[in-house]
Amino acid sequence: MLYRTAGQFKTSYEADQALFPVKQDAFLLGVILLLAVVVFPLTASEFTFQTLLIPILIYSLTALGLNILTGFAGQLSLGTAAFMGVGAYACYKMITLMPWMNPIIAILLSGVFSAGVGVAFGIPSLRIKGFYLAIATLAAQFFLVWLFEKWAWLYNYNASGAIQVPNLEMFGTYVAGPQANSIVQYYVVLFIVGLLTWVCINLTRGNLGRTWKATRDMDIAAELIGINLMKSKLTAFAVSSYVIGVSGALFVFMWRGAAEPNLFDIPLSFRILFIAIIGGLGSILGNYLGAILIVGLPVVLNLVPNALGIPISSATVEHLNIMIVGSLIVFFLIVEPHGLAQLWRLIREKLIIWPFPH
């Protein structure tokens, strides 16, 4: 009943290729945006902002960047956290060297530096692929984290080796730093994540997206029909690294407040990879679903036993979280390789044809 499509006719190619071919999809998105823009900010506590809303948005954007490269273009990467670090350090240097710069502009520009580094490390993809390319990006992960530690200019020669986010103002309101309000940071993150998601949706639905998918499915056949593999792969690295770099700047400036080089170590790369796998490779929606699960699971494991009066230690919660996430990854790889996004597609199809079985 909710997804009844009777009377929704398509009389042109534009209507057939519309982003929302079913009107209920647009209505559902409107409800989600209403919740995100109005309801959550009015009802959420400081704890909710810092442990759920802001990290879910940031991790979703990072997984989206990884999905552009791995899910749409088929290029494996294990250096996601390092490219986040490039964006974070680039944003920090721009803010400290040019204090007058608008924070949002600095965050968006930080992705340009990450895109340049991503293209440099993406050059091996022209000759290698699969497991060997993953090892090449893993080398980038180790090298960049080492660079963050050893190049003191990046953290302004701070004795602790960490970068500390200063108080940043925009229109008379603090948007980053110790004096910033969580609701303001949430709106900044929501705006940037929404903007880049809209851009990525359009890219993946256009000529560039079809080029990436052809390269992913069979690069030799793609080259035979005239696709420039070098351009396809390097643009995927550039766009992916840009999005990841921006998410890295948001990660530090809008959530953590400070960062050391080991924050961008390989466990963070695997965390983002898990979000992409569980959510569904080659999907935009899957990044959000995967981030909600990965970020929300530890919170649920903490709150539910306490609400039921069951004593549980923080160490047990951490072990349970690791076990459940690992089990989910194995489950989705075996049962549903396309992740939570595919499960939603199946549910949606069932709702459209309900009450008929097929």
Side-chain angles (χ1 to χ4, degrees), residues 148-343:
F148 300 153
E149 293 178 355
K150 301 301 181 184
W151 195 6
W153 178 80
L154 289 176
Y155 48 84
N156 289 343
Y157 304 96
N158 191 338
S160 65
I163 57 175
Q164 187 75 34
V165 177
N167 288 310
L168 301 177
E169 270 188 277
M170 195 171 67
F171 306 117
T173 303
Y174 287 108
V175 297
Q179 297 186 36
N181 197 334
S182 291
I183 190 172
V184 177
Q185 293 178 312
Y186 169 75
Y187 273 121
V188 172
V189 173
L190 182 64
F191 168 73
I192 294 177
V193 171
L195 175 65
L196 291 184
T197 301
W198 175 75
V199 170
C200 289
I201 288 173
N202 283 279
L203 285 176
T204 54
R205 284 166 51 86
N207 290 334
L208 190 57
R210 288 190 286 272
T211 300
W212 290 339
K213 293 171 187 176
T215 305
R216 173 196 66 192
D217 293 340
M218 189 173 291
D219 55 354
I220 296 176
E223 190 171 22
L224 287 174
I225 62 174
I227 292 176
N228 187 331
L229 290 185
M230 180 181 74
K231 179 182 177 182
S232 174
K233 292 181 179 181
L234 292 186
T235 52
F237 269 97
V239 174
S240 169
S241 300
Y242 176 83
V243 174
I244 291 171
V246 171
S247 72
L250 292 174
F251 184 71
V252 174
F253 277 73
M254 296 296 156
W255 184 32
R256 302 303 291 259
E260 295 182 350
N262 59 10
L263 179 64
F264 304 104
D265 219 336
I266 195 165
L268 180 59
S269 292
F270 281 115
R271 185 180 180 88
I272 304 303
L273 182 61
F274 296 159
I275 291 174
I277 291 174
I278 291 175
L281 292 174
S283 164
I284 300 292
L285 174 64
N287 304 301
Y288 291 90
L289 299 178
I292 290 171
L293 180 62
I294 295 296
V295 175
L297 183 61
V299 178
V300 172
L301 291 176
N302 263 313
L303 295 179
V304 171
N306 292 330
L308 297 176
I310 303 173
I312 184 170
S313 66
S314 57
T316 304
V317 169
E318 184 178 352
H319 295 319
L320 284 174
N321 182 47
I322 294 172
M323 292 167 61
I324 294 173
V325 170
S327 302
L328 286 174
I329 292 172
V330 174
F331 170 80
F332 281 110
L333 287 176
I334 295 173
V335 178
E336 188 48 79
H338 296 290
L340 293 171
Q342 179 64 15
L343 293 181

Side-chain angles (χ1 to χ4, degrees), residues 2-11 20-25:
L2 295 176
Y3 265 87
R4 185 68 65 227
T5 57
Q8 299 185 30
F9 303 110
K10 301 177 181 64
T11 57
F20 300 110
V22 179
K23 292 180 181 178
Q24 287 89 335
D25 290 334

Side-chain angles (χ1 to χ4, degrees), residues 24-40:
Q24 287 89 335
D25 290 334
F27 176 78
L28 181 60
L29 178 62
V31 172
I32 293 172
L33 289 177
L34 181 66
L35 291 173
V37 176
V38 179
V39 177
F40 290 158

